[in-house]
Amino acid sequence: MAARSVRRATAAILTGALALATAACTNPGSTAGGSGGAKDSAVVGIAYEPETLSPLLGYGKDGNAKIFDGLLAFDADLRLKPALAVKLPRVSADGLTYTYTLRKGVTFSDGVPFTAKDVVYTYRTILDPRTNNPFRTELDALSSVEAVGDGTVVFRLRYPYAPFAERTVHAIAPEHVAAKQDVNTGAFTSRPIGTGPYVLTGWSKGEKLTFTANPAYWGGAPRVKKFTMAIIKDDDVRATRLRAGDLDGAILPPDLAAGFQGDRAKKTWTAKTFDYRTVTLPTHNPVAGDTAVRRALDLTVDRQAMVDKILEGAGKPAYGPVPTDSPWFAKGTERRHDLAGAEKILDEAGWKPGPDGIRVRNGVRAAFPLWYLSGDKLRQDHALAYASDAKKAGIDITTQAGPWEVIEPRMKTDAVLAGGGSPGDPDFDQYLLLKSTLGGDGFNNMARYDNKTVDRALEDGRRTDDLTKRRAAYDTVQRELAKNPGYTFLTHIDHLYVVNDAWDGLSTQTEPHDHGLASGPWWNVETWKPKR
Amino acid sequence: MSRRLPWGAMARMTGRRALAAVPVLLGVTLAVFAVAEASPFDPVKAYAGTAGLTASQENLDQLRANLGADLPLLTRWWEWLTSALTGDLGDSAVMRRPVAEVIGERLGWSVLLAATAFAVALVLGTLLGVLAGRRRGGLLDRAVSSAAYTLEAAPAFWLGLLAIWFFALKLGALPAGGLTDTGSDTVTAGQVARHLVLPALVLGLSQLPWFFLYVRQGVGDALDEDPVRGARARGLRERTVLTGHALRSGMLPMLTLVGSRVPELITGALLVETVFSWPGIAAATVTAATSVDFPLLAALTVLATAAVLLGNLLSDLLYGLADPRVGFDG
C-alpha cells in the first residue's frame, strides 16, 4: 500500500529531524552549573546596551568602564581614589586649576605606553563641537587642558566648580588609535583599546559583549578571566535564562527577583540608588504652580504605601533628589503622611470643596493632567497612586500616557512623572533640576521651578570646596524645597540583582538612574575571587 | 517527462520586473524620508538617548547641525541617494558606524534564520498538507488543521517565549537565545546551528499554517477532479496519482504563496529576533525607525522592498513553470 509508505517516510523524516535536533543540542556545560573547581568566567544578563564604546562619545563618563580607566575612580562608597593618576589632584586656592600627576608604566592593551597626551587628546576631543558627544554639558566648567611633560596634566576651569574632580573618572582613550579615524563613526567606537582591567574580545550588537582579562593590567590581572555581558532587554527572558543556568547573574525587577528567594545557590543583591521618581509641578500651571496646592500634595501622598505596594519593599520614600540615607540629606525635611494637614492648608488658602468634592478657588478647579511615559509600568503605577492620593484631598489629577515626543511640548503646563538621579555630588542632580535659568532647557528643570533662594544656594554650593559651606548650601536647597515643593518626590528605587554564589568580593555601589554597563554587583568584577 | 525550461521567457520577465522595480524603490526611499520627517520622533533626541535629558540646548543644536538633521527633507534625500548610488551608504547615527558595516554584519544572520524558517515551513507544510488533503476529515487532518488554526492566531512572540520555557527551561535541551553560547566569544558552526534551532523552528511554525492550509486545499480539490478520479478508476497507483496529478495542481496556489509570505516573514523575524536576542537586521530596523536614523532606515527599507519584489518574481516564475497556461507575462 503506497499510502503506508508515505506515512512511513513522514514518520522517518520527523524522527530523524527530532533526533538531529536533540543530538545537536546537548549543551556542553559552557557556562552552566559552575561545578568542578573554581569559576574563572562569569556571564551576566543586563537590560542595557551602550550605543558606543568610545569615551570620546561619552562611554565611561562615570568611570567604571572595564576596558578603560579614568584619572580617578570611585570606590564602593563613591569616594574618589587614584587610578591613572597616582594621587588625587592638587587644586589651586581659587578652585580654577586642577593638577594631576600620572601613573608611570601604564600601557594600553596594544602595548603602547599611556601618557599625558592621551588625557589631553580625550578631553579636547570631547570639548570639540565637531564631536557628537551628547554629554559635553557635564564638562561645562572645563576651559582648557594641557600636558606638562609626559607625566602631568593641568585642567583649567572657567568658574570654580567643586565637584570637578568627580568628572575626571571619565575613561581615557588612546590618541595613537582614535586620532587616526573619524571620531563619530570610526572602528574605535565598537572595537576600543584601553588601559582597563579587561580587553574587549567581541561585541555582537543586541546580543552580548565579551571581555577577557588584561594580564598586564596595572592594578593586577583580574581573577575572573572571561567576562560576558549578555544583552537581554526582556525581563522575563532574562529571568528564564538565569534559571536555565545560561547566566550567572542578572538584573531583575522586584517581582521576578522574588522568584529566586528559595534558590540556595544564588544570592540577591540590593543596590541602593539615587534613582528617584518624582512629579513635576509646573510653575506655569495655575493649580500645580500654587504653593498651597504643592504643599498639600506633599502631605497627602502616601510614600510608604508606594514603596510597599509598587516596589514590593525594594526602595524608600523620597523627599527630594537626595536619598534619606545619604550624608547630604538634610535631616528634618522628611514629610509625614498627613491628609488632615493637607486639607487644612488648602482650606486656609481658599481652595474650597465644590459640589463634586473637587476644590475650587476663584472659579478655578483644582485639577491638572499628569503625564507618564507609555509602556513604563513603574511610572504608571506611581502616577495612578499619586492621583488617587490627591483625590482624597480634593485635587483632581488626570493621568495620561504618552511617548516623550508627545509629553515634551506639554511640560511647561502639565505635570510629568519623571525619573532621574546621579550619585556622587549633590550638584549633579540639583543644579539641573532646580536652577531657574535652566527652566525649559531641554529636559532640565521640567517644572520651571523658580526660587531665588535656591538659585543662590546652588551657586554657592558649586563654587566652594569648603565642606561646611557646601553642606549649608544644600541644606538650604532641601529646606526651601520643603517650604515650596515644586516637585513631589515619591520614591528612591532599589536595583535588584540575582547572582550565583560562586565568588567572593562582591558588593554594590550606589547607583544612578541610568543603568550603566557596569552597574550591579559586577562593578568590581576585576577583584572577584572564585570560591573553592 | 522532461521539459526544457523556457529560459528566454523567464529572463525577459525578470528584466521587465527589474526595470519596474527602479521607480518603486525610488518612491519607497522618498516615502521613508517623508514619513520619518513627519513622525514625532527626533533624530537628535534619539542620538543623545538619556544624555538628551540633561544636555543643554546648545549641545543639542550642535548635534543637530553635525548630524545634518536640520537640512530640508528633499536635500537630505537627494544627498543620501546620490552618495548611495556611488556606493557610499552613509553613516548610521544611532549605531555610530557606517551603514554598510551595520548591514554587512547583520544581514547574513537574518538571511540564515529566515531561509531556515522558510524551509521548515515549506517542507513541513507541504508534507502535512498532502497527508491531510488525501483524507479530508480524517483523524490526521482534523488534528493538524485545528493545530494550524491555533498557530495562525498565536503571536510569534508568545510562541518564542513558550519554546524557551519548554526546550530551554524544562528540558534544558536547547539554548534560550543568542547566536553562540553566552560565555563564548568565538562563532563556530556547531554553536550557531544549535542556537538556530529554536528561533528558526518558531519562525517556521508561525508561517506553517498558511502553507499547510493551501496545500491541503489544493491537493484535496485536485483529488476530487475528474482526471484524477479517472486515473484512480483506471487503477493507477496511488503514488502516481498523488505526485503526478494532485500534487502538481495542488501546489499551484502554494507557489504564489511563497512570494507573498515574504513580508510576513520579515515582520515575524522582527519579533523572533527580539525574543531570542538574535543579532540580525530586524532588531536594527526597529532601532533605525524609532530613532529616525535616515541613512540606515532607507537602506534597510530598500532591502526589505527588494526582498518582497524578489519574492513576488520568484512565485510568478514558479507559477509559470508549474502551469504553462499562465506563461511569463508578469
Side-chain angles (χ1 to χ4, degrees):
Chain A
M1 193 70 205
R4 201 173 301 141
S5 61
V6 172
R7 212 174 303 142
R8 215 176 292 135
T10 320
I13 289 171
L14 281 175
T15 348
L18 263 177
L20 226 127
T22 32
C25 49
T26 39
N27 207 340
S30 52
T31 58
S35 54
K39 257 179 78 70
D40 62 355
S41 68
V43 182
V44 300
I46 56 176
Y48 157 91
E49 180 168 37
E51 281 101 3
T52 169
L53 293 177
S54 168
L56 307 167
L57 298 180
Y59 175 70
K61 71 179 183 73
D62 298 318
N64 212 346
K66 299 284 173 256
I67 313 164
F68 301 97
D69 294 303
L71 292 172
L72 305 177
F74 287 119
D75 68 6
D77 303 320
L78 294 181
R79 279 188 304 257
L80 287 170
K81 59 178 191 195
L84 288 177
V86 284
K87 53 179 190 284
L88 297 185
R90 203 175 64 244
V91 187
S92 63
D94 61 2
L96 290 173
T97 314
Y98 284 66
T99 309
Y100 289 79
T101 309
L102 304 186
R103 190 175 295 276
K104 289 192 174 64
V106 177
T107 55
F108 287 98
S109 61
D110 61 358
V112 176
F114 152 81
T115 66
K117 67 178 181 15
D118 298 303
V119 180
V120 171
Y121 166 76
T122 301
Y123 281 93
R124 279 189 187 164
T125 310
I126 293 169
L127 292 181
D128 184 341
R130 286 167 306 181
T131 307
N132 295 339
N133 184 319
F135 300 97
R136 188 174 308 125
T137 319
E138 298 191 353
L139 292 173
D140 183 60
L142 182 57
S143 121
S144 72
V145 49
E146 278 161 47
V148 181
D150 270 354
T152 309
V153 176
V154 181
F155 293 88
R156 289 199 172 73
L157 307 192
R158 293 193 291 132
Y159 49 83
Y161 184 57
F164 180 75
E166 299 195 15
R167 292 293 186 211
T168 59
V169 299
H170 202 301
I172 300 295
E175 183 188 27
H176 68 276
V177 178
K180 291 199 181 84
Q181 41 178 275
D182 183 328
V183 63
N184 297 317
T185 57
F188 181 73
T189 66
S190 54
R191 288 191 292 280
I193 288 165
T195 56
Y198 284 90
V199 177
L200 183 83
T201 50
W203 180 11
S204 163
K205 277 233 169 113
E207 192 199 356
K208 66 188 172 194
L209 296 119
T210 48
F211 304 90
T212 172
N214 175 1
Y217 184 52
W218 56 265
R223 297 277 298 277
V224 174
K225 296 289 175 228
K226 277 177 73 175
F227 183 57
T228 304
M229 289 180 161
I231 295 134
I232 309 157
K233 295 220 164 39
D234 187 277
D235 291 336
D236 291 302
V237 177
R238 214 176 319 115
T240 303
R241 287 177 61 176
L242 179 63
R243 203 170 301 250
D246 189 26
L247 305 174
D248 295 310
I251 179 166
L252 292 174
D255 52 335
L256 288 171
F260 290 88
Q261 289 292 340
D263 190 336
R264 300 283 305 277
K266 293 185 173 66
K267 272 182 79 170
T268 300
W269 293 87
T270 303
K272 294 290 167 215
T273 72
F274 274 59
D275 187 1
Y276 60 72
R277 292 293 176 274
T278 186
V279 174
T280 70
L281 298 172
T283 301
H284 295 276
N285 179 303
V287 180
D290 179 69
T291 309
V293 171
R294 288 174 169 184
R295 287 180 54 217
L297 285 168
D298 221 17
L299 295 181
T300 179
V301 59
D302 188 350
R303 296 177 171 87
Q304 194 56 50
M306 290 183 181
V307 172
D308 296 341
K309 301 254 169 22
I310 300 174
L311 304 178
E312 310 202 15
K316 49 187 178 294
Y319 306 102
V322 185
T324 47
D325 54 3
S326 159
W328 290 99
F329 181 72
K331 292 272 185 298
T333 56
E334 298 92 342
R335 268 74 102 190
R336 62 196 188 287
H337 171 53
D338 178 7
L339 185 55
E343 286 170 329
K344 187 160 162 280
I345 292 173
L346 290 168
D347 285 335
E348 286 171 0
W351 292 97
K352 301 288 185 215
D356 57 352
I358 303 305
R359 292 171 184 267
V360 182
R361 185 175 75 181
N362 308 333
V364 179
R365 270 179 100 245
F368 59 89
L370 167 60
W371 289 87
Y372 61 89
L373 185 64
S374 46
D376 188 327
K377 189 172 175 302
L378 205 55
R379 292 183 192 216
Q380 177 181 340
D381 291 348
H382 276 91
L384 294 174
Y386 184 73
S388 91
D389 284 347
K391 195 92 176 197
K392 292 174 189 145
I395 299 169
D396 180 21
I397 297 176
T398 335
T399 52
Q400 303 192 52
W404 283 121
E405 285 76 14
V406 173
I407 297 173
E408 197 186 354
R410 297 178 166 82
M411 291 190 316
K412 187 173 178 179
T413 54
D414 294 7
V416 180
L417 207 130
S422 14
D425 202 273
D427 172 82
F428 295 169
D429 272 335
Q430 299 182 28
Y431 197 83
L432 299 176
L433 188 77
L434 302 170
K435 181 80 180 161
S436 65
T437 49
L438 292 179
D441 179 89
F443 285 83
N444 295 320
N445 193 354
M446 275 194 228
R448 287 172 167 74
Y449 189 68
D450 190 352
N451 180 328
K452 293 290 163 277
T453 318
V454 168
D455 280 351
R456 245 194 329 274
L458 288 171
E459 290 299 337
D460 294 347
R462 69 178 0 196
R463 278 162 194 268
T464 171
D465 247 351
D466 183 321
L467 203 58
T468 325
K469 284 186 186 154
R470 298 198 73 206
R471 198 173 292 284
Y474 292 113
D475 269 8
T476 306
V477 173
Q478 291 173 69
R479 291 192 202 292
E480 282 296 317
L481 259 187
K483 283 187 220 157
N484 177 10
Y487 295 80
T488 313
F489 283 85
L490 306 175
T491 54
H492 275 104
I493 290 166
D494 292 345
H495 296 164
L496 297 181
Y497 302 86
V498 178
V499 189
N500 275 342
D501 194 13
W503 300 275
D504 286 321
L506 274 70
S507 63
T508 54
Q509 262 182 322
T510 309
E511 297 184 358
H513 167 64
D514 300 325
H515 291 272
L517 196 60
S519 292
W522 34 91
W523 74 275
N524 63 346
V525 63
E526 55 269 25
T527 60
W528 287 9
K529 291 182 183 60
K531 284 188 174 174
R532 284 286 159 212
Chain B
M1 190 186 87
S2 70
R3 268 191 306 138
R4 287 203 43 240
L5 289 180
W7 286 115
M10 285 165 71
R12 276 196 298 281
M13 174 158 136
T14 311
R16 269 198 306 279
R17 291 292 182 90
L19 282 179
V22 173
V24 171
L25 286 173
L26 277 181
V28 164
T29 57
L30 185 56
V32 164
F33 273 75
V35 168
E37 175 80 2
S39 83
F41 294 114
D42 175 17
V44 177
K45 286 256 158 45
Y47 177 89
T50 47
L53 301 181
T54 52
S56 67
Q57 199 56 50
E58 179 198 8
N59 192 179
L60 291 174
D61 293 344
Q62 182 73 56
L63 280 176
R64 191 174 297 280
N66 288 2
L67 296 172
D70 51 354
L71 298 171
L73 158 74
L74 278 172
T75 317
R76 248 181 305 172
W77 177 69
W78 184 248
E79 276 185 3
W80 175 82
L81 189 69
T82 45
S83 57
L85 289 175
T86 60
D88 176 16
L89 293 175
D91 292 322
S92 157
V94 79
M95 299 275 174
R96 316 290 200 262
R97 307 174 58 197
V99 169
E101 263 185 43
V102 175
I103 292 181
E105 199 170 71
R106 294 163 167 266
L107 187 60
W109 299 126
S110 278
V111 169
L112 176 69
L113 174 64
T116 317
F118 219 52
V120 166
L122 206 65
V123 172
L124 272 183
T126 310
L127 209 70
L128 291 170
V130 170
L131 293 178
R134 274 180 59 232
R135 291 222 184 77
R136 279 198 286 191
L139 185 64
L140 179 104
D141 178 28
R142 286 209 306 270
V144 178
S145 293
S146 48
Y149 286 120
T150 315
L151 269 181
E152 245 181 342
F157 192 81
W158 177 80
L159 275 182
L161 285 176
L162 196 71
I164 290 179
W165 172 79
F166 185 70
F167 289 100
L169 207 61
K170 288 279 163 241
L171 300 183
L174 285 165
L179 179 68
T180 52
D181 294 338
T182 320
S184 100
D185 47 16
T186 48
V187 179
T188 63
Q191 281 187 18
V192 172
R194 225 181 29 249
H195 282 74
L196 180 65
V197 175
L198 274 191
L201 208 61
V202 168
L203 186 55
L205 277 181
S206 70
Q207 298 302 314
L208 179 84
W210 284 271
F211 290 104
F212 163 76
L213 294 169
Y214 267 65
V215 173
R216 170 182 172 271
Q217 189 70 33
V219 168
D221 290 351
L223 285 175
D224 286 344
E225 281 171 4
D226 286 344
V228 177
R229 302 239 300 266
R232 271 190 170 158
R234 286 198 304 278
L236 281 179
R237 287 179 53 197
E238 184 76 10
R239 189 177 310 181
T240 321
V241 172
L242 253 184
T243 51
H245 298 78
L247 200 57
R248 223 166 118 187
S249 52
M251 290 294 278
L252 279 183
M254 201 195 75
L255 291 180
T256 49
L257 190 67
V258 170
S260 59
R261 294 311 297 171
V262 169
E264 282 281 343
L265 195 71
I266 293 174
T267 47
L270 217 75
L271 296 171
V272 170
E273 283 189 10
T274 313
V275 174
F276 288 96
S277 307
W278 190 257
I281 208 91
T285 311
V286 180
T287 318
T290 51
S291 47
V292 205
D293 189 345
F294 284 102
L296 183 59
L297 189 58
L300 291 176
T301 316
V302 168
L303 267 181
T305 314
V308 172
L309 291 174
L310 274 176
N312 285 338
L313 173 67
L314 183 72
S315 61
D316 288 346
L317 284 175
L318 287 173
Y319 206 98
L321 280 179
D323 188 349
R325 287 172 304 179
V326 176
F328 297 105
D329 302 317

